Structure formats: C-alpha cells, structure tokens
C-alpha cells in the first residue's frame, strides 16, 4: 500500500492514540484541572516531565503564577472525568466542585492530586518556553503518588489491574489491549 | 485503595503505555534509526514535534549534523523492528542493511522514511536544548507520509485497519484495544 505525502499537515495530531492525562494547578486559592494529550518524559536524572499547553488556558496562568503543576494518569473508567475537565472553563467554574472530583493530599507542592489517578506527579516548574501556538512547560518531578498494587514487581503497570485511559483525538477514548502484550528481549532482537 | 507516595522516583517512566516510534536521521552518507518512547506534539501552527534523546546516541549526532529528523509510527506487527533498532548501535552497524529495513522516498529532507510506518513525519530541527540527562529536539514537520486508507474520514486512525505499536517499558510491547473505543462528546460532558 503506497503512502500519501502531504505538506499541508491536516489533522496530523490524531495519527495515533496517546495517554490522556489531567494536568492540575493551584494558585492563590484557586484550583484547576485540564485534559492534556501532549506530554512526555524528558529526563531520568533529574526526573523531568514536559507538557505542551496553549497559553490562553487558565491552567497555564495558574502554573506560571505558582511555578508548580500536577500530572495525573487515569484509568479508562475515568474517561468521563477527563472529558469533563477537558471541555469546561476553569476561569468560569471550579471544576473540582462542579464535577465532584476527589483529591489526595499533595506532599511537596500545593497542586491537586486526583484520587482517581493510578499514578500522579507533583512537578516544580523549571522551564516555560514558547513553541508556535503552545508553551512547553518542563517540570522536575518532586513526588510520585501511585497505587503500588496495580504495578508489577518490575514497576510496570499491571493491565490485569488497571486499564489506562488513552485518547485518539476527535473525542474518542480507549484503552490498551492487555491480551496483546509481547515481551521482546532487546538482546535477542538487536543481534538477529 | 490508598496511594503510596515516593520522593525517590523509581521506574516512574514505566507508569503507562506510550506509542513506540522509530526516529530516523541521515548525515554525510550515513543513516540511523532508533526506538523512542519520549516524544510529543508541541504546536499545531506551525506543526512542531518534540523528541527527547540522550546525547550519546549516534542518532543524536546525525540529527545535530543534518538539522533534520524523521518520526515513524509503526504498527504492532512491526514490534520486532522497533526492538531491533532499539537494541543495536548505529555507530557499529548500518541498521537499515542489517535488519533489511525498506524505505519510502523522503520529499523535503534526506531522513529515512520507513515503509512499514502507517504515518511518518519529516522534521527540520528548530531547537536542541539540554534538560537533565537528555536533549529535547524540536522539529517543524515539513512533510507527512501516511497510509490514507487506514484513517477514517475524520483522519482518526482506523483501528480496524491498523493496530498501533505501544511500549510499556521493560521490553513489553502491546497495542490499543479497538473494542474499547468510546466517544465522549465534550459538549455533553463539560456541562453535566
């Protein structure tokens, strides 16, 4: 099958599923939460995490004011929660109150940690940089909250215990296929 | 279930599945390909993509020399290919030759585009920044190669036609669960 080549980019950002996270922030007595699909680890030591956010978002303002943000990884059962915070405006409404979002206590920062999350990071902002129509926020992970019981002894997510929420674009949510997992030993495959 | 809180970060980078991509580069007659799990869209206009790479990688050197890189999205059937390029050293071996990797013609750059990819971007490097033990490379997407037939009219990946390759950490590969897809209209969920 031959590929099409486009210079016009189209909806290129829907080319594959991504983990849907909820980014949280707190400043001057106000909390907010937003859905984000553009995020990645950047460094192991120190542990750095990056999130791309449009600067007009209320969450962006809270993060810049407080120099802190939270990243919350949610199970597929919480997809409605992700859709809810992704489609309402924190400037106008307290999403935590409106959607009755339960929280755990944060330990190193004041960012909201979602009780529904199977893992969540508290991050201290170390960089905020303009790229095109977004800002890339880079934070150092200063605390990790996680449901130890849903991870294997190797600290891999145990898909028999939790189904992670993924986002396909176009308001479509899905999860990973636990029956498809294959272990490919790099020592074997790198030496074929 | 109560969460554990860690300040020691552990294998936090395995907390969820990520899309496994193959990053490609070409400089001075040499090609290379590496597996990467730390990558994200950053901006829509202009279209920017970011990849976090350790500076000791041969691919990093080729990208810095050529100011170009490719991002290749592969189906789950190509997981062995990802494991292979992820576990061999391009300084020592031509991975394209060793693993017999078929290519499409690139149009705007000289980066290798993998024939096995269901979508691939040609990127021009616009930034290269040090964060902890990695470098964050940001590129402008100047051409998109994609198998039009495996996308829906809304340009969402059609999971009946292609199963994207995801990576869990710890050498575990998997795909998305097409039977789990739910459409959550943000107009509805934001107004509950």
């Amino acid at each position: 099958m031959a590929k099409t080549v486009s210079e016009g980019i189209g909806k290129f950002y829907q080319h594959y599923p991504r983990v849907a996270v909820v980014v949280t922030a707190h400043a001057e007595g106000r909390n907010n939460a937003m859905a984000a699909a553009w995020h990645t680890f950047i460094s192991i030591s120190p542990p750095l995490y990056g999130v791309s956010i449009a600067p007009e978002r209320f969450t962006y303002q809270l993060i810049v004011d407080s120099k802190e943000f939270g990243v919350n990884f949610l199970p597929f059962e919480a997809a409605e929660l992700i859709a809810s915070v992704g489609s309402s405006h924190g400037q106008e409404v307290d999403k935590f109150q409106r959607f009755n979002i339960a929280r755990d206590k944060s330990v190193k920062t004041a960012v909201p940690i979602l009780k529904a999350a199977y893992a969540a990071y508290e991050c201290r902002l170390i960089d905020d940089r303009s790229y095109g129509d977004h800002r890339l926020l880079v934070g150092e992970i200063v605390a990790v909250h996680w449901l130890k019981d849903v991870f294997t002894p190797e600290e891999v997510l145990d898909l028999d215990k939790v189904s992670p929420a993924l986002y396909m674009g176009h308001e479509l949510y899905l999860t990973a296929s636990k029956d498809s997992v294959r272990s490919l030993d790099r020592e074997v495959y790198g030496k074929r």
Side-chain angles (χ1 to χ4, degrees), chain A:
Chain A
M1 204 160 24
K3 289 193 191 74
T4 299
V5 182
S6 323
E7 290 171 36
I9 304 287
K11 294 179 180 167
F12 65 91
Y13 44 86
Q14 297 181 160
H15 279 171
Y16 53 76
R18 300 192 62 80
V19 168
V21 298
V22 170
V23 173
T24 50
H26 169 96
E28 289 167 23
R30 299 190 67 176
N31 293 310
N32 203 22
M34 61 172 276
W38 294 3
H39 54 91
T40 182
F41 285 106
I42 294 179
S43 163
I44 295 176
S45 177
L48 302 179
Y49 208 83
V51 183
S52 177
I53 298 183
E56 58 271 24
R57 298 300 200 101
F58 183 50
T59 300
Y60 174 72
Q61 205 47 63
L62 295 182
I63 295 172
V64 167
D65 289 351
S66 64
K67 306 270 183 278
E68 296 175 350
F69 63 92
V71 183
N72 296 267
F73 298 88
L74 291 161
F76 185 53
E77 305 92 83
E80 288 96 339
L81 170 61
I82 303 170
S84 298
V85 302
S87 53
S88 49
H89 300 288
Q91 190 73 264
E92 296 156 15
V93 57
D94 180 335
K95 298 185 194 179
F96 286 88
Q97 207 159 38
R98 159 83 73 99
F99 302 117
N100 198 17
I101 301 174
R103 295 165 52 177
D104 289 328
K105 216 173 151 52
S106 51
V107 296
K108 291 282 200 169
T109 67
V111 301
I113 298 297
L114 273 49
K115 201 175 270 300
Y118 59 83
Y121 309 147
E122 296 182 41
C123 300
R124 285 216 182 96
L125 188 68
I126 65 157
D127 204 10
D128 168 17
R129 201 164 286 278
S130 178
Y131 286 111
D133 50 23
H134 279 58
R135 307 282 311 191
L136 185 72
L137 303 176
V138 179
E140 178 167 353
I141 302 172
V142 293
V144 176
H145 301 241
W146 53 308
L147 285 176
K148 207 166 179 175
D149 292 347
V150 306
F151 289 86
T152 69
E154 292 80 23
E155 294 184 25
V156 173
L157 197 60
D158 184 340
L159 296 176
D160 281 326
K161 296 187 179 153
V162 65
S163 300
L166 308 178
Y167 183 63
M168 275 304 279
H170 209 66
E171 324 227 24
L172 299 174
Y173 294 80
L174 74 167
T175 190
S177 164
K178 68 176 180 174
D179 298 327
S180 69
V181 176
R182 292 184 62 192
S183 175
L184 299 178
D185 184 331
R186 66 182 68 199
E187 287 304 313
V188 174
Y189 284 91
K191 300 208 167 69
R192 287 186 305 170

